[in-house]
Amino acid sequence: MTKRNTQQRRHAIVALVQERGEISVDELTQCFSTSEVTIRKDLALLETGGLLLRRYGGAVSLPAEMVGIEPLKVSPRKLAIASAAAECIRDHNRIIIDSGTTTSAMIPLLGNKRGLVVMTNSLNVAGALCELENEPTLLMTGGTWDPHSESFQGQVAEQVLRSYDFDQLFIGADGIDLERGTTTFNELVGLSQVMAEVAREVVVMVESDKIGRRIPNLELPWARIRTLVTDDALSPAARDMIQAKGVTLICAPWPADSSRR
């Protein structure tokens, strides 16, 4: 096989592993006419991105329980929120991106950012980051896999996070309690709170129809939140209450189509 550029080669490696279930470093070096050092680097990055698992002398495909379903189509509202949130990121920022469909929608918009360092607890986010041509430095929390949130959680993940400091955290929410802060159906809130502790700015990304939704589990109080990015369907009363908490509010416009109904 003729040589391909780095991204093409890594795409092809993933396809081969998925097709065969297992492949050796020797086979890959012959297939791509490249060195063992290059292939091992590829496998390390692809494993970090949650796309395969390394084994002695090669790689194997992910177990069925670790493979996510085909991602759902992202709504125009979430895309608008993601676009506005991405504008808050500067070159060379060190950021955390939590799991979630709204936060994941931001990843393709980071391709023009230089020198990013990104920590995540999500295999989907990690995989999407590996697709970017600018190849941001990717860090994974590790920890215990939680199928409910489709992310890594637990004390190991918390300890890893506390080893770093970050400029920004981008996180979603199941609901926004206008009195208390972000709320969630998930009882595992410890990692989200540690993420907020190690980031200088917490950016919450949430659709306007979730604002005012009261859910029992408080995740982040308003005192922890610097910026809230939502869509422009937010009511004036809710805008006033959020800004009264000292939070920077960004309301992203989005297309007036059938999805607004």
Side-chain angles (χ1 to χ4, degrees), residues 85-214:
E87 291 179 5
C88 298
I89 300 173
R90 297 183 297 275
D91 290 344
H92 306 290
N93 270 15
R94 298 166 58 87
I95 66 176
I96 308 169
I97 301 178
D98 192 21
S99 61
T101 55
T102 308
T103 50
S104 297
M106 184 172 62
I107 306 303
L109 305 172
L110 303 183
N112 63 341
K113 308 289 183 180
R114 296 178 299 167
L116 290 183
V117 176
V118 186
M119 171 77 82
T120 186
N121 62 333
S122 165
L123 291 179
N124 288 335
V125 169
L129 286 165
C130 286
E131 300 288 331
L132 296 179
E133 291 292 338
N134 58 340
E135 296 186 345
T137 299
L138 173 61
L139 306 173
M140 291 291 292
T141 63
T144 302
W145 181 254
D146 172 41
H148 176 77
S149 63
E150 296 187 346
S151 63
F152 291 102
Q153 303 284 338
Q155 292 185 354
V156 171
E158 293 172 15
Q159 290 170 2
V160 170
L161 276 165
R162 287 194 171 104
S163 300
Y164 298 87
D165 64 272
F166 297 90
D167 298 302
Q168 295 164 302
L169 161 64
F170 293 87
I171 187 169
D174 292 324
I176 299 287
D177 186 318
L178 289 167
E179 294 297 331
R180 298 187 299 158
T182 68
T183 56
T184 179
F185 293 110
N186 194 345
E187 294 183 355
L188 298 174
V189 298
L191 188 65
S192 299
Q193 293 169 351
V194 173
M195 287 178 174
E197 289 173 12
V198 300
R200 284 184 281 278
E201 178 185 11
V202 175
V203 181
V204 175
M205 303 167 61
V206 65
E207 296 155 285
S208 62
D209 57 7
K210 293 182 179 180
I211 296 176
R213 181 185 293 180
R214 301 177 68 87

Side-chain angles (χ1 to χ4, degrees), residues 56-67:
Y56 180 77
V60 298
S61 58
L62 290 171
E65 63 271 18
M66 294 288 287
V67 179

